[in-house]
Amino acid sequence: MDAKKRAVLIVDLVVLVVYLIAANPALTGIGVHEWLGIAVFAVFVAHAAQHGDWVVETARTALTRPSLGRTGHFVLDALIVVAFMVCTVSGLLVSGAVLPAFGLYADGFFFWDPLHAASAKVLLALLVVHAVVHWRWIMGLFRKQRAGDEREER
């Protein structure tokens, strides 16, 4: 596996682990949940930047050479971005730790809190679909890594 694919895989795994921890405020407590949410946002930005070439290529070819697979992946990823942004913004607006740390407060808790809960559930469902859709690619990376390790041992 080349260095770029290894870096992508590492960032993807970090995104997954940090997200799974942050997505469970009962496990971490609200304050840690909120700060981990900020960390997830930062790692998500790195993940999106690593896949920027794919986004550009898919958007470019969506009209010139549309295919169900390419368009489906693009739509799924766009829905993930929207759900993630709604979850992040609504989470910040109901924050009991992050916003007060900066001396800020947002009104509208009874709007933002249910929106945050719903968008978090939608995001989790979309991420499960994303992992299933990309399962072959993920397993291919691990197979290539294992094959490379075996060659190095010889």
Side-chain angles (χ1 to χ4, degrees), residues 15-29 32-33 36-37 40:
V15 167
L16 176 64
V17 169
V18 175
Y19 171 77
L20 290 174
I21 294 168
N24 193 350
L27 176 69
T28 62
V32 172
H33 167 76
L36 278 177
V40 168

Side-chain angles (χ1 to χ4, degrees), residues 5 21 26-27 34 41 53-55 60 74 82 108 117 122 130 134 137 145 147 150:
K5 286 185 181 178
I21 294 168
L27 176 69
E34 292 178 13
F41 178 78
D53 55 341
W54 179 87
V55 172
R60 187 180 65 74
F74 190 71
V82 169
V122 168
H130 180 78
H134 290 87
W137 179 80
Q145 177 65 38
E150 289 173 2

Side-chain angles (χ1 to χ4, degrees), residues 76-150:
L76 175 61
D77 289 350
L79 290 172
I80 289 170
V81 169
V82 169
F84 186 72
M85 290 302 114
V86 170
C87 190
T88 301
V89 170
S90 61
L92 283 172
L93 293 173
V94 296
S95 174
V98 173
L99 282 186
F102 295 102
L104 302 171
Y105 173 80
D107 288 324
F109 178 85
F110 293 106
F111 173 77
W112 296 114
D113 189 54
L115 182 62
H116 182 65
S119 64
K121 288 170 180 62
V122 168
L123 177 60
L124 179 58
L126 290 169
L127 289 172
V128 168
V129 172
H130 180 78
V132 169
V133 165
H134 290 87
W135 190 250
R136 265 197 215 150
W137 179 80
I138 294 165
M139 293 313 295
L141 287 177
F142 282 111
R143 276 189 221 107
K144 287 178 185 174
Q145 177 65 38
R146 190 172 47 233
D149 290 346
E150 289 173 2

Side-chain angles (χ1 to χ4, degrees), residues 28-77:
T28 62
I30 296 297
V32 172
H33 167 76
E34 292 178 13
W35 288 106
L36 278 177
I38 300 296
V40 168
F41 178 78
V43 178
F44 177 80
V45 169
H47 171 83
Q50 284 184 317
H51 294 286
D53 55 341
W54 179 87
V55 172
V56 169
E57 179 65 18
T58 302
R60 187 180 65 74
T61 60
L63 294 174
T64 59
R65 293 182 320 215
S67 74
L68 184 59
R70 182 178 296 126
T71 303
H73 284 209
F74 190 71
V75 168
L76 175 61
D77 289 350

